[in-house]
Amino acid sequence: MSAGVIEASAAPVIETRDLSVLYGTTRAVKGVSIEIDANRVVAFIGPSGCGKSTLLRCFNRMNDLVPGANIEGEARYRGLNLYGPDVDPIEVRRRIGMVFQKPNPFPKSIFENVAFGARINGFRGSMADLVEKSLRQAALWDEVKDRLDASAMALSGGQQQRLCIARALAIEPDVLLMDEPTSALDPIATQKIEDLIYDLKREYTIVIVTHNMQQAARVSDRTAFLYMGDVIEYGPTDQIFTNPRETRTEEYITGRFG
Amino acid sequence: MSRPDTGSDFQPRAAQRGRTAKIFRWIFFGATTLAIVVLAVLLLDVLRTGATHVSWRFIVSYPSRFPESAGILVGLLGSLWTLGLTALLSFPLGIATAIWLEEYAPSGWLSRTIQMNIANLASVPSVVYGILGLALFVQWMNLGRSILAGSLTLTLLILPVIIISSQEAIRSVPKSIRLAAFALGATRWQTVSRQVFPAAIPGILTGTILALSRAVGETAPLILIGAAAYVPFAPVSPMDEFTVLPIQIFNWISRPQPQFHQIAAAGIIVLLIVLLSFNLAAILLRNHYSKR
Ligand SMILES: Nc1ncnc2c1ncn2[C@@H]1O[C@H](COP(=O)(O)OP(=O)(O)OP(=O)(O)O)[C@@H](O)[C@H]1O
Ligand SMILES: [Mg+2]
C-alpha cells in the first residue's frame, strides 16, 4: 500500500532495512527489516539475549554510546536516515524517548527528575504543571505529590521505573521506546502502565520489549518475535499469538522452547 | 527434617571458619588500636608542652627574639594566604582536567600515557617540586620569594592528587545516569555539568580538601623556593615575602633555648587546628552536598 499525501500517517514512523548491530565481531542483530506505523504499539518478544534491547537502541542512537557497537544497514525515522551524516543524535533522542530496562533515576529530587529533560530542551511553559501532568500519566502522582522535593533514590524500584516513564513523557516525544518497563512492577502498577500505553497510543508510537506474553497480547497491535538476532516473525499480535506461521514462534509463546 | 551432610561433597567446618574470622578481627582491631595509641601519645606530648602557651596574644604577635613575646601571626597568615591561593589555582585546573580525562578524552594511547604520567607525578618527592618551583617561578618568571611563587609550587605538587581523586569521584557516578541524560536529548556538556558533576561533588570535595591539607604541612619545597624563616611583617599581597607554619615551627625547635621549644609546641597545636578545620570543612561540605 503506497502512502497518499493525505494519509501521511500511513507511512512508517520507523523503518529498518537490513539493519545489523555488531559488538566487536559478534553480530547481535542480524539484518533486520521492520516497519513500525504511527500510533501503534509494537511489542518485541524473544528469549533473553536475542537482541531486543540492542535493536531498540538503534532507533534513538543510544548504541552510539556503547563502546565497540557498530551499526550496518539502514534505519529511518519518518523517512529520515537516522544514521545520515548530518543527523544530530541529540535531536533524534529528543523525538524518540526511551525507558530503560533498569530504573535509572537521577540522584536528585522527584521534581528535578521529571523537569530535567524539559529544562535542557528549552521548555518555556509552567514546569509545575508539566511535572504534575507527566507524573499523572505515569500513574505515580498520587504516591509522590506530597514529597516532590524528596530524593528519587528513596522511591521503591517500581516507583522509580514509573518516575523514569514520567521523565521520558515530560519531553513530549514522538516515539516512546520501552525496554521491559514493567518487569519491576506489581500487578496494579503494571495495569496502570498498560492503561497508560493504551492512552498514549493516540499521540505516540510505542515500541515495548517484554518477557510477559500476556502483556504483549494485551497492549500491542503488532508483535515481533526475535531469536538470536533475527526477526523470525513480525505481524499483527492476534495472528502471532493465535496462528503463528513459524514453529519457533509457536514454541516460544507456548513456553515449549527448546 | 534436614538432610545429613555425611557423604556429601560439602565440608562446612563452621567452627574452624569462625575461629579464622575471629583471629582476623583481632588483628585488624590491634592494628587500629596501635595507630590510635601512637597518635594519642604524640598529641598528648605536644599538648602538655604547648597548651599553656596557646593564647590570643600568641596568635596575633609577630616573631621575636624573646620567647615570651614571640607569636605565630606571620606564619599563620602566610599559611592561610598560600593555601587560599593554592586552592584557587589547583581546584579549577585539577577538576577540569579530571572531567576531561573521564568524560571527553578518547580512550587510547594518549589518555593512557597522560594517566600514567599523572600517577607518576603524584609520587614524585616534594623537594623536586621545590627545585622546579625555584627555577620556573622564582627565577624564570621573576616572581621572587613570594606567596604566589609558593602557591604555584604547591599547586604543581597537589595537582596530580586532585586529578586522581576527582577522577575516581567522577568514575563512581553510575554509567546509567549518563545514559538517562543522553536519552532525554542532553548534550555531553549538559550531561556532565548538570548530572555527573553534581553527583560527583561530595567525592571531589573530599579528595581535593584532603590534598590541600597535605599542602598545609609541606615544608621542603617552600624552603627551597626561599620562604624565609624570619619575616617580620604580615603578608598583605600575593607578591609579599612569607613564611608558613611548619617553617616557623622548625625554626623555633632548632633554637637552643628550651622556652622556644615550648612555643614550637604551641605552634604545632595551631597547625593541627588549621588541619583539623580543613578536614572538618571537608566532612561538612560532603554531608551538605550528598544530602541533596
Ligand atoms: N555492550 C555490549 N557489549 C557486548 N555485547 C553485548 C553488549 N550488549 C549486549 N551484548 C550482547 O548482544 C546480545 C543481545 O543483547 P541484548 O541486550 O540486546 O539482549 P535482550 O534481548 O535485550 O536480552 P534481555 O531480554 O535479557 O534483556 C547478547 O548476546 C549480549 O551478550
Ligand atoms: Mg534487554
Side-chain angles (χ1 to χ4, degrees), chain A residues 57-85:
Chain A
R57 282 198 296 267
C58 292
F59 302 156
N60 66 344
R61 294 200 48 174
M62 286 303 279
N63 276 331
D64 292 19
L65 304 170
V66 179
N70 271 307
I71 281 96
E72 288 171 2
E74 218 176 78
R76 292 185 174 274
Y77 162 69
R78 295 196 182 271
L80 171 85
N81 180 5
L82 281 172
Y83 291 88

PDB file of all heavy atoms in Angstrom, chain A residues 57-85:
ATOM      1  N   ARG A  57      17.766   0.118  20.844  1.00  0.00           N
ATOM      2  CA  ARG A  57      18.718   1.222  20.987  1.00  0.00           C
ATOM      3  C   ARG A  57      19.145   1.820  19.643  1.00  0.00           C
ATOM      4  O   ARG A  57      19.680   2.923  19.613  1.00  0.00           O
ATOM      5  CB  ARG A  57      19.959   0.758  21.755  1.00  0.00           C
ATOM      6  CG  ARG A  57      19.764   0.669  23.265  1.00  0.00           C
ATOM      7  CD  ARG A  57      21.101   0.641  23.992  1.00  0.00           C
ATOM      8  NE  ARG A  57      21.873  -0.546  23.674  1.00  0.00           N
ATOM      9  CZ  ARG A  57      21.842  -1.670  24.385  1.00  0.00           C
ATOM     10  NH1 ARG A  57      21.084  -1.743  25.455  1.00  0.00           N
ATOM     11  NH2 ARG A  57      22.570  -2.713  24.039  1.00  0.00           N
ATOM     12  N   CYS A  58      18.914   1.070  18.559  1.00  0.00           N
ATOM     13  CA  CYS A  58      19.238   1.632  17.236  1.00  0.00           C
ATOM     14  C   CYS A  58      18.306   2.783  16.889  1.00  0.00           C
ATOM     15  O   CYS A  58      18.671   3.676  16.139  1.00  0.00           O
ATOM     16  CB  CYS A  58      19.084   0.571  16.144  1.00  0.00           C
ATOM     17  SG  CYS A  58      20.294  -0.723  16.238  1.00  0.00           S
ATOM     18  N   PHE A  59      17.065   2.722  17.418  1.00  0.00           N
ATOM     19  CA  PHE A  59      16.055   3.680  16.996  1.00  0.00           C
ATOM     20  C   PHE A  59      16.288   5.071  17.572  1.00  0.00           C
ATOM     21  O   PHE A  59      15.767   6.044  17.041  1.00  0.00           O
ATOM     22  CB  PHE A  59      14.647   3.190  17.394  1.00  0.00           C
ATOM     23  CG  PHE A  59      14.291   1.854  16.812  1.00  0.00           C
ATOM     24  CD1 PHE A  59      13.332   1.059  17.420  1.00  0.00           C
ATOM     25  CD2 PHE A  59      14.907   1.389  15.662  1.00  0.00           C
ATOM     26  CE1 PHE A  59      12.993  -0.176  16.886  1.00  0.00           C
ATOM     27  CE2 PHE A  59      14.579   0.152  15.127  1.00  0.00           C
ATOM     28  CZ  PHE A  59      13.631  -0.636  15.745  1.00  0.00           C
ATOM     29  N   ASN A  60      17.014   5.197  18.673  1.00  0.00           N
ATOM     30  CA  ASN A  60      17.315   6.543  19.179  1.00  0.00           C
ATOM     31  C   ASN A  60      18.830   6.762  19.319  1.00  0.00           C
ATOM     32  O   ASN A  60      19.276   7.609  20.069  1.00  0.00           O
ATOM     33  CB  ASN A  60      16.596   6.837  20.498  1.00  0.00           C
ATOM     34  CG  ASN A  60      17.073   5.966  21.642  1.00  0.00           C
ATOM     35  OD1 ASN A  60      17.714   4.946  21.412  1.00  0.00           O
ATOM     36  ND2 ASN A  60      16.760   6.363  22.852  1.00  0.00           N
ATOM     37  N   ARG A  61      19.563   5.965  18.580  1.00  0.00           N
ATOM     38  CA  ARG A  61      21.022   6.101  18.506  1.00  0.00           C
ATOM     39  C   ARG A  61      21.715   6.003  19.856  1.00  0.00           C
ATOM     40  O   ARG A  61      22.774   6.610  20.063  1.00  0.00           O
ATOM     41  CB  ARG A  61      21.392   7.417  17.797  1.00  0.00           C
ATOM     42  CG  ARG A  61      20.968   7.373  16.349  1.00  0.00           C
ATOM     43  CD  ARG A  61      21.655   8.358  15.467  1.00  0.00           C
ATOM     44  NE  ARG A  61      23.106   8.445  15.585  1.00  0.00           N
ATOM     45  CZ  ARG A  61      23.850   9.185  14.784  1.00  0.00           C
ATOM     46  NH1 ARG A  61      23.296   9.859  13.802  1.00  0.00           N
ATOM     47  NH2 ARG A  61      25.138   9.226  14.941  1.00  0.00           N
ATOM     48  N   MET A  62      21.135   5.241  20.759  1.00  0.00           N
ATOM     49  CA  MET A  62      21.815   5.030  22.034  1.00  0.00           C
ATOM     50  C   MET A  62      22.984   4.072  21.858  1.00  0.00           C
ATOM     51  O   MET A  62      23.884   4.020  22.691  1.00  0.00           O
ATOM     52  CB  MET A  62      20.851   4.502  23.095  1.00  0.00           C
ATOM     53  CG  MET A  62      19.890   5.548  23.640  1.00  0.00           C
ATOM     54  SD  MET A  62      20.702   6.994  24.366  1.00  0.00           S
ATOM     55  CE  MET A  62      21.116   6.375  25.987  1.00  0.00           C
ATOM     56  N   ASN A  63      22.966   3.296  20.780  1.00  0.00           N
ATOM     57  CA  ASN A  63      24.102   2.402  20.537  1.00  0.00           C
ATOM     58  C   ASN A  63      25.390   3.177  20.258  1.00  0.00           C
ATOM     59  O   ASN A  63      26.482   2.634  20.416  1.00  0.00           O
ATOM     60  CB  ASN A  63      23.804   1.461  19.369  1.00  0.00           C
ATOM     61  CG  ASN A  63      23.025   0.241  19.823  1.00  0.00           C
ATOM     62  OD1 ASN A  63      23.150  -0.194  20.962  1.00  0.00           O
ATOM     63  ND2 ASN A  63      22.213  -0.297  18.941  1.00  0.00           N
ATOM     64  N   ASP A  64      25.235   4.466  19.865  1.00  0.00           N
ATOM     65  CA  ASP A  64      26.425   5.298  19.673  1.00  0.00           C
ATOM     66  C   ASP A  64      27.280   5.333  20.938  1.00  0.00           C
ATOM     67  O   ASP A  64      28.487   5.511  20.883  1.00  0.00           O
ATOM     68  CB  ASP A  64      26.015   6.756  19.377  1.00  0.00           C
ATOM     69  CG  ASP A  64      25.339   6.886  18.033  1.00  0.00           C
ATOM     70  OD1 ASP A  64      24.875   5.851  17.514  1.00  0.00           O
ATOM     71  OD2 ASP A  64      25.265   8.013  17.520  1.00  0.00           O
ATOM     72  N   LEU A  65      26.606   5.206  22.077  1.00  0.00           N
ATOM     73  CA  LEU A  65      27.292   5.382  23.358  1.00  0.00           C
ATOM     74  C   LEU A  65      27.845   4.079  23.906  1.00  0.00           C
ATOM     75  O   LEU A  65      28.475   4.053  24.950  1.00  0.00           O
ATOM     76  CB  LEU A  65      26.319   5.980  24.384  1.00  0.00           C
ATOM     77  CG  LEU A  65      25.673   7.299  23.953  1.00  0.00           C
ATOM     78  CD1 LEU A  65      24.551   7.689  24.887  1.00  0.00           C
ATOM     79  CD2 LEU A  65      26.717   8.392  23.898  1.00  0.00           C
ATOM     80  N   VAL A  66      27.562   2.971  23.202  1.00  0.00           N
ATOM     81  CA  VAL A  66      28.085   1.685  23.662  1.00  0.00           C
ATOM     82  C   VAL A  66      29.435   1.458  22.999  1.00  0.00           C
ATOM     83  O   VAL A  66      29.516   1.395  21.774  1.00  0.00           O
ATOM     84  CB  VAL A  66      27.116   0.533  23.298  1.00  0.00           C
ATOM     85  CG1 VAL A  66      27.687  -0.797  23.764  1.00  0.00           C
ATOM     86  CG2 VAL A  66      25.751   0.781  23.888  1.00  0.00           C
ATOM     87  N   PRO A  67      30.510   1.377  23.796  1.00  0.00           N
ATOM     88  CA  PRO A  67      31.825   1.180  23.188  1.00  0.00           C
ATOM     89  C   PRO A  67      31.862  -0.136  22.405  1.00  0.00           C
ATOM     90  O   PRO A  67      31.402  -1.160  22.897  1.00  0.00           O
ATOM     91  CB  PRO A  67      32.789   1.123  24.385  1.00  0.00           C
ATOM     92  CG  PRO A  67      31.993   1.520  25.574  1.00  0.00           C
ATOM     93  CD  PRO A  67      30.567   1.367  25.258  1.00  0.00           C
ATOM     94  N   GLY A  68      32.375  -0.081  21.202  1.00  0.00           N
ATOM     95  CA  GLY A  68      32.503  -1.298  20.412  1.00  0.00           C
ATOM     96  C   GLY A  68      31.294  -1.643  19.571  1.00  0.00           C
ATOM     97  O   GLY A  68      31.343  -2.580  18.786  1.00  0.00           O
ATOM     98  N   ALA A  69      30.200  -0.910  19.729  1.00  0.00           N
ATOM     99  CA  ALA A  69      28.998  -1.222  18.939  1.00  0.00           C
ATOM    100  C   ALA A  69      29.097  -0.569  17.559  1.00  0.00           C
ATOM    101  O   ALA A  69      29.478   0.587  17.441  1.00  0.00           O
ATOM    102  CB  ALA A  69      27.747  -0.752  19.666  1.00  0.00           C
ATOM    103  N   ASN A  70      28.770  -1.337  16.519  1.00  0.00           N
ATOM    104  CA  ASN A  70      28.791  -0.827  15.155  1.00  0.00           C
ATOM    105  C   ASN A  70      27.489  -1.157  14.454  1.00  0.00           C
ATOM    106  O   ASN A  70      26.971  -2.255  14.598  1.00  0.00           O
ATOM    107  CB  ASN A  70      29.952  -1.444  14.376  1.00  0.00           C
ATOM    108  CG  ASN A  70      31.204  -0.608  14.532  1.00  0.00           C
ATOM    109  OD1 ASN A  70      31.183   0.592  14.285  1.00  0.00           O
ATOM    110  ND2 ASN A  70      32.276  -1.254  14.953  1.00  0.00           N
ATOM    111  N   ILE A  71      26.990  -0.189  13.697  1.00  0.00           N
ATOM    112  CA  ILE A  71      25.719  -0.405  13.006  1.00  0.00           C
ATOM    113  C   ILE A  71      25.956  -0.521  11.513  1.00  0.00           C
ATOM    114  O   ILE A  71      26.741   0.233  10.939  1.00  0.00           O
ATOM    115  CB  ILE A  71      24.731   0.749  13.308  1.00  0.00           C
ATOM    116  CG1 ILE A  71      24.106   0.548  14.682  1.00  0.00           C
ATOM    117  CG2 ILE A  71      23.576   0.767  12.326  1.00  0.00           C
ATOM    118  CD1 ILE A  71      24.694   1.246  15.788  1.00  0.00           C
ATOM    119  N   GLU A  72      25.287  -1.507  10.899  1.00  0.00           N
ATOM    120  CA  GLU A  72      25.306  -1.627   9.444  1.00  0.00           C
ATOM    121  C   GLU A  72      23.873  -1.604   8.964  1.00  0.00           C
ATOM    122  O   GLU A  72      22.963  -1.982   9.685  1.00  0.00           O
ATOM    123  CB  GLU A  72      25.967  -2.951   9.029  1.00  0.00           C
ATOM    124  CG  GLU A  72      27.470  -2.983   9.237  1.00  0.00           C
ATOM    125  CD  GLU A  72      28.035  -4.387   9.011  1.00  0.00           C
ATOM    126  OE1 GLU A  72      27.262  -5.305   8.670  1.00  0.00           O
ATOM    127  OE2 GLU A  72      29.252  -4.551   9.210  1.00  0.00           O
ATOM    128  N   GLY A  73      23.683  -1.190   7.716  1.00  0.00           N
ATOM    129  CA  GLY A  73      22.338  -1.144   7.174  1.00  0.00           C
ATOM    130  C   GLY A  73      21.675   0.179   7.456  1.00  0.00           C
ATOM    131  O   GLY A  73      22.348   1.175   7.731  1.00  0.00           O
ATOM    132  N   GLU A  74      20.337   0.181   7.411  1.00  0.00           N
ATOM    133  CA  GLU A  74      19.631   1.449   7.399  1.00  0.00           C
ATOM    134  C   GLU A  74      18.534   1.484   8.449  1.00  0.00           C
ATOM    135  O   GLU A  74      17.848   0.491   8.680  1.00  0.00           O
ATOM    136  CB  GLU A  74      18.990   1.607   6.017  1.00  0.00           C
ATOM    137  CG  GLU A  74      19.020   3.008   5.484  1.00  0.00           C
ATOM    138  CD  GLU A  74      18.461   3.039   4.071  1.00  0.00           C
ATOM    139  OE1 GLU A  74      17.225   2.996   3.915  1.00  0.00           O
ATOM    140  OE2 GLU A  74      19.263   3.084   3.133  1.00  0.00           O
ATOM    141  N   ALA A  75      18.377   2.633   9.104  1.00  0.00           N
ATOM    142  CA  ALA A  75      17.253   2.855   9.997  1.00  0.00           C
ATOM    143  C   ALA A  75      16.701   4.238   9.700  1.00  0.00           C
ATOM    144  O   ALA A  75      17.464   5.205   9.640  1.00  0.00           O
ATOM    145  CB  ALA A  75      17.697   2.744  11.448  1.00  0.00           C
ATOM    146  N   ARG A  76      15.394   4.310   9.460  1.00  0.00           N
ATOM    147  CA  ARG A  76      14.792   5.603   9.126  1.00  0.00           C
ATOM    148  C   ARG A  76      13.717   5.972  10.119  1.00  0.00           C
ATOM    149  O   ARG A  76      12.998   5.115  10.631  1.00  0.00           O
ATOM    150  CB  ARG A  76      14.167   5.554   7.720  1.00  0.00           C
ATOM    151  CG  ARG A  76      15.203   5.436   6.644  1.00  0.00           C
ATOM    152  CD  ARG A  76      14.583   5.508   5.252  1.00  0.00           C
ATOM    153  NE  ARG A  76      15.661   5.520   4.277  1.00  0.00           N
ATOM    154  CZ  ARG A  76      16.279   6.644   3.889  1.00  0.00           C
ATOM    155  NH1 ARG A  76      15.884   7.807   4.360  1.00  0.00           N
ATOM    156  NH2 ARG A  76      17.274   6.583   3.023  1.00  0.00           N
ATOM    157  N   TYR A  77      13.658   7.268  10.413  1.00  0.00           N
ATOM    158  CA  TYR A  77      12.593   7.801  11.256  1.00  0.00           C
ATOM    159  C   TYR A  77      11.818   8.805  10.428  1.00  0.00           C
ATOM    160  O   TYR A  77      12.387   9.803   9.976  1.00  0.00           O
ATOM    161  CB  TYR A  77      13.177   8.463  12.505  1.00  0.00           C
ATOM    162  CG  TYR A  77      12.234   9.388  13.217  1.00  0.00           C
ATOM    163  CD1 TYR A  77      11.119   8.870  13.889  1.00  0.00           C
ATOM    164  CD2 TYR A  77      12.439  10.762  13.219  1.00  0.00           C
ATOM    165  CE1 TYR A  77      10.242   9.720  14.527  1.00  0.00           C
ATOM    166  CE2 TYR A  77      11.566  11.608  13.865  1.00  0.00           C
ATOM    167  CZ  TYR A  77      10.461  11.086  14.517  1.00  0.00           C
ATOM    168  OH  TYR A  77       9.590  11.923  15.143  1.00  0.00           O
ATOM    169  N   ARG A  78      10.574   8.501  10.143  1.00  0.00           N
ATOM    170  CA  ARG A  78       9.730   9.336   9.277  1.00  0.00           C
ATOM    171  C   ARG A  78      10.485   9.724   8.007  1.00  0.00           C
ATOM    172  O   ARG A  78      10.531  10.891   7.611  1.00  0.00           O
ATOM    173  CB  ARG A  78       9.263  10.583  10.017  1.00  0.00           C
ATOM    174  CG  ARG A  78       8.326  10.251  11.200  1.00  0.00           C
ATOM    175  CD  ARG A  78       7.577  11.474  11.683  1.00  0.00           C
ATOM    176  NE  ARG A  78       6.728  11.176  12.833  1.00  0.00           N
ATOM    177  CZ  ARG A  78       5.462  10.753  12.756  1.00  0.00           C
ATOM    178  NH1 ARG A  78       4.910  10.557  11.582  1.00  0.00           N
ATOM    179  NH2 ARG A  78       4.768  10.516  13.846  1.00  0.00           N
ATOM    180  N   GLY A  79      11.112   8.728   7.420  1.00  0.00           N
ATOM    181  CA  GLY A  79      11.792   8.933   6.152  1.00  0.00           C
ATOM    182  C   GLY A  79      13.224   9.427   6.274  1.00  0.00           C
ATOM    183  O   GLY A  79      14.007   9.333   5.340  1.00  0.00           O
ATOM    184  N   LEU A  80      13.581   9.936   7.457  1.00  0.00           N
ATOM    185  CA  LEU A  80      14.923  10.479   7.647  1.00  0.00           C
ATOM    186  C   LEU A  80      15.896   9.372   8.040  1.00  0.00           C
ATOM    187  O   LEU A  80      15.626   8.606   8.956  1.00  0.00           O
ATOM    188  CB  LEU A  80      14.875  11.533   8.755  1.00  0.00           C
ATOM    189  CG  LEU A  80      16.206  12.072   9.265  1.00  0.00           C
ATOM    190  CD1 LEU A  80      16.682  13.210   8.389  1.00  0.00           C
ATOM    191  CD2 LEU A  80      16.078  12.522  10.706  1.00  0.00           C
ATOM    192  N   ASN A  81      17.007   9.302   7.330  1.00  0.00           N
ATOM    193  CA  ASN A  81      18.019   8.309   7.671  1.00  0.00           C
ATOM    194  C   ASN A  81      18.664   8.660   9.006  1.00  0.00           C
ATOM    195  O   ASN A  81      19.389   9.643   9.123  1.00  0.00           O
ATOM    196  CB  ASN A  81      19.078   8.246   6.569  1.00  0.00           C
ATOM    197  CG  ASN A  81      20.165   7.225   6.890  1.00  0.00           C
ATOM    198  OD1 ASN A  81      20.075   6.496   7.884  1.00  0.00           O
ATOM    199  ND2 ASN A  81      21.169   7.164   6.042  1.00  0.00           N
ATOM    200  N   LEU A  82      18.381   7.821  10.023  1.00  0.00           N
ATOM    201  CA  LEU A  82      18.832   8.131  11.379  1.00  0.00           C
ATOM    202  C   LEU A  82      20.351   8.201  11.475  1.00  0.00           C
ATOM    203  O   LEU A  82      20.902   8.880  12.330  1.00  0.00           O
ATOM    204  CB  LEU A  82      18.313   7.081  12.364  1.00  0.00           C
ATOM    205  CG  LEU A  82      16.860   7.232  12.811  1.00  0.00           C
ATOM    206  CD1 LEU A  82      16.431   6.032  13.622  1.00  0.00           C
ATOM    207  CD2 LEU A  82      16.691   8.510  13.618  1.00  0.00           C
ATOM    208  N   TYR A  83      21.019   7.452  10.613  1.00  0.00           N
ATOM    209  CA  TYR A  83      22.480   7.421  10.676  1.00  0.00           C
ATOM    210  C   TYR A  83      23.112   8.234   9.552  1.00  0.00           C
ATOM    211  O   TYR A  83      24.270   8.039   9.211  1.00  0.00           O
ATOM    212  CB  TYR A  83      22.976   5.970  10.708  1.00  0.00           C
ATOM    213  CG  TYR A  83      22.613   5.302  12.016  1.00  0.00           C
ATOM    214  CD1 TYR A  83      21.386   4.658  12.185  1.00  0.00           C
ATOM    215  CD2 TYR A  83      23.477   5.367  13.103  1.00  0.00           C
ATOM    216  CE1 TYR A  83      21.032   4.089  13.402  1.00  0.00           C
ATOM    217  CE2 TYR A  83      23.123   4.804  14.316  1.00  0.00           C
ATOM    218  CZ  TYR A  83      21.905   4.167  14.462  1.00  0.00           C
ATOM    219  OH  TYR A  83      21.558   3.622  15.675  1.00  0.00           O
ATOM    220  N   GLY A  84      22.325   9.148   8.999  1.00  0.00           N
ATOM    221  CA  GLY A  84      22.847  10.035   7.966  1.00  0.00           C
ATOM    222  C   GLY A  84      23.890  10.975   8.539  1.00  0.00           C
ATOM    223  O   GLY A  84      23.935  11.211   9.746  1.00  0.00           O
ATOM    224  N   PRO A  85      24.731  11.530   7.661  1.00  0.00           N
ATOM    225  CA  PRO A  85      25.879  12.320   8.130  1.00  0.00           C
ATOM    226  C   PRO A  85      25.483  13.605   8.858  1.00  0.00           C
ATOM    227  O   PRO A  85      26.191  14.044   9.758  1.00  0.00           O
ATOM    228  CB  PRO A  85      26.646  12.636   6.843  1.00  0.00           C
ATOM    229  CG  PRO A  85      25.663  12.431   5.743  1.00  0.00           C
ATOM    230  CD  PRO A  85      24.700  11.390   6.206  1.00  0.00           C
TER     231      PRO A  85
END
